[in-house]
């Protein structure tokens, strides 16, 4: 595995590659229904605002400068007002990841659309595709919806970029894909910083000056036989101080965390590659397939082979 921090590793499986990219300019009353089944959808409000209506009845207001990340494959709505759905209004739908590969409805895919060119509300909408299973650990760390606010200068710049992409000039889709990838990373980092101690342990550790060097070394070289003493050396502190600090910040002992990281990576490799059990064992830091298989079964309740077979069956059933 390439040398990357945990957030980069988890985001490597979810991208805006060829995603739905819509610059919507709307005049109330309006609603947008999201039925892509995308694991993650991002909505940035450039002007105006609305309300996200989520599965189960939850509501989340969003206003100018807000970027909302919705983490559910279930259908949901964004409307100018919650009551709009029960009244006559302009309806739009994003469904480009479903059965119709043409995806021509509502002129999506980088086109400016809406019911009023100078409408009161302007949005950038991106739905993200997932490849494999590595991103699932990230989604488990997120709430159903999170909201981060940006200043108006950022919104103005985003709207200019979206308007340029809407001209469908050379490279416009790639421009918006990379823009949305960048915006996703920035939004997640801001949100993790804001929630502080409620951020996942793999993020909190990288923000700690004592733990960060050791964690970076582990993620750069996960196949090494790491010990608490070796990690402490990377951080330049004593073994006792490192172990105490690690448990306080991360909520578990160092080797417990490392084992969980290895098991999570092993799950992704078992699900997304055809690597042999021996190859996976070596890549996540085990000397042989036997030792890895025993550890995996102890922590996940099934052998690596059984886990792979079960996931393959589930994937086939889903298709």
């Amino acid at each position: 595995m390439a040398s990357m921090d945990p957030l980069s590793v988890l985001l490597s499986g979810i991208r805006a590659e060829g995603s739905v990219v819509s610059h919507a300019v709307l005049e109330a009353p309006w609603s947008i229904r999201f039925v892509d089944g995308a694991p993650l959808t991002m909505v940035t409000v450039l002007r105006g605002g609305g309300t996200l209506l989520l599965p189960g009845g939850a509501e989340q207001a969003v206003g100018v400068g807000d970027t909302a990340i919705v983490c559910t494959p279930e259908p949901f709505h964004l409307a100018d007002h919650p009551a709009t759905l029960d009244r006559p209004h302009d309806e739009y739908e994003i469904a480009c990841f479903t059965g119709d590969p043409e995806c021509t409805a509502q002129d999506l895919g980088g086109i400016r659309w809406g019911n009023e060119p100078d409408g009161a509300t302007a949005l950038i909408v991106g739905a993200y595709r997932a490849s494999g299973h590595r991103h699932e650990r990230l989604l488990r760390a997120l709430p159903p919806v999170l909201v981060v606010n940006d200043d108006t200068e950022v919104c103005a710049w985003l709207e200019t970029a979206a308007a340029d992409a809407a001209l469908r000039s050379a490279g416009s889709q790639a421009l918006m894909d990379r823009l949305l990838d960048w915006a996703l990373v920035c939004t997640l980092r801001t949100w993790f910083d804001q929630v502080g101690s409620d951020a996942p342990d793999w993020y909190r550790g990288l923000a700690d000056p004592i733990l960060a060097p050791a964690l970076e070394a582990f993620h750069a070289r996960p196949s090494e036989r790491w010990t608490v003493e070796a990690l402490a050396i990377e951080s330049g502190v004593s073994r006792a101080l490192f172990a105490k600090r690690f448990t306080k910040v991360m909520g578990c002992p160092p080797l417990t965390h490392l084992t969980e990281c290895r098991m999570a990576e092993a799950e992704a490799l078992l699900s997304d590659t055809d690597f042999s059990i021996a190859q996976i064992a070596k890549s996540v830091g085990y000397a042989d397939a036997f030792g890895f298989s025993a550890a995996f079964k102890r922590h996940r309740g099934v052998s690596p082979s059984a886990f792979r077979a079960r996931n393959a069956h589930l994937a086939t059933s889903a298709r």
Side-chain angles (χ1 to χ4, degrees):
M1 183 176 64
S3 174
M4 292 193 292
D5 63 272
L7 181 58
S8 296
V9 170
L10 298 179
L11 282 171
S12 67
I14 186 164
R15 295 280 180 156
E17 198 72 42
S19 71
V20 180
V21 180
S22 306
H23 180 198
V25 184
L26 306 160
E27 189 69 36
W30 53 266
S31 74
I32 304 171
R33 185 168 183 256
F34 297 82
V35 293
D36 274 308
L40 187 150
T41 303
M42 188 165 66
V43 179
T44 297
V45 182
L46 306 176
R47 289 181 277 117
T51 301
L52 286 162
L53 307 170
L54 304 172
E59 298 181 4
Q60 174 66 58
V62 288
V64 62
D66 284 342
T67 292
I69 295 178
V70 181
C71 305
T72 177
E74 297 182 48
F76 65 94
H77 286 85
L78 175 66
D80 65 292
H81 189 277
T84 292
L85 295 184
D86 299 320
R87 302 170 181 170
H89 64 282
D90 288 304
E91 300 177 86
Y92 303 91
E93 185 173 274
I94 291 179
C96 294
F97 294 169
T98 53
D100 181 7
E102 296 299 323
C103 188
T104 56
Q106 310 301 345
D107 291 326
L108 297 178
I111 292 294
R112 183 183 176 107
W113 56 279
N115 55 5
E116 178 56 54
D118 299 313
T121 295
L123 312 165
I124 298 290
V125 178
Y128 290 72
R129 292 182 186 272
S131 59
H133 296 75
R134 186 170 280 120
H135 70 285
E136 292 172 359
R137 188 178 176 209
L138 170 64
L139 298 187
R140 287 195 294 270
L142 302 177
V145 60
L146 63 90
V147 178
V148 169
N149 187 267
D150 284 315
D151 59 45
T152 54
E153 290 184 4
V154 173
C155 291
W157 179 75
L158 281 170
E159 185 162 19
T160 299
D164 177 69
L167 298 176
R168 287 191 176 276
S169 55
S172 60
Q173 180 67 57
L175 169 67
M176 286 305 299
D177 285 346
R178 299 293 74 78
L179 177 62
L180 287 178
D181 285 339
W182 170 83
L184 176 61
V185 174
C186 291
T187 301
L188 288 174
R189 287 175 56 179
T190 299
W191 186 78
F192 284 140
D193 289 340
Q194 289 177 350
V195 299
S197 61
D198 290 329
D201 53 10
W202 45 262
Y203 189 86
R204 296 197 307 271
L206 289 174
D208 186 272
I210 294 177
L211 303 186
L215 289 171
E216 289 168 358
F218 166 69
H219 288 289
R221 307 188 302 277
S223 61
E224 289 191 17
R225 303 292 296 277
W226 290 100
T227 64
V228 177
E229 183 175 3
L231 292 168
I233 290 173
E234 292 288 341
S235 290
V237 298
S238 69
R239 182 186 187 281
L241 174 59
F242 180 82
K244 182 178 180 180
R245 180 71 176 178
F246 196 102
T247 302
K248 178 180 179 181
V249 173
M250 306 288 279
C252 65
L255 296 186
T256 299
H257 175 77
L258 264 58
T259 298
E260 177 55 33
C261 289
R262 284 171 165 149
M263 294 299 105
E265 177 63 14
E267 285 183 331
L269 292 173
L270 287 165
S271 301
D272 303 336
T273 75
D274 58 1
F275 293 168
S276 69
I277 302 301
Q279 288 174 314
I280 294 173
K282 184 177 180 180
S283 70
V284 298
Y286 287 84
D288 55 59
F290 179 80
F292 164 68
S293 296
F296 190 91
K297 187 170 184 179
R298 184 167 61 250
H299 290 278
R300 293 299 190 258
V302 296
S303 69
S305 297
F307 178 88
R308 170 172 272 171
R310 183 182 66 189
N311 270 31
H313 174 73
L314 291 174
T316 302
S317 299
R319 287 195 294 269

